[in-house]
Amino acid sequence: MTITAAHIPAIVALIAGILILIMPRLLNIVVAIYLICIGLIGLGVLRFLHL
């Protein structure tokens, strides 16, 4: 299975959800990291890194 740019938000969301279930106090940090990742993906920054 090849991971494409379309899969990255789904993978990040899955990891964030699991972390929130395990440690609810991480909610602020997880949401912040998620929003930063989605913003970088939306801006196309990850394309420059060939991800």
Side-chain angles (χ1 to χ4, degrees):
M1 177 178 161
T2 305
I3 296 177
T4 62
H7 292 116
I8 294 174
I11 294 169
V12 171
L14 182 62
I15 292 170
I18 291 169
L19 287 175
I20 291 168
L21 283 174
I22 293 172
M23 299 181 69
R25 289 182 172 222
L26 285 177
L27 180 61
N28 291 338
I29 296 169
V30 170
V31 169
I33 292 170
Y34 177 77
L35 291 173
I36 290 169
C37 289
I38 296 302
L40 291 174
I41 292 167
L43 291 173
V45 173
L46 296 179
R47 276 187 253 160
F48 295 119
L49 298 175
H50 301 290
L51 294 176

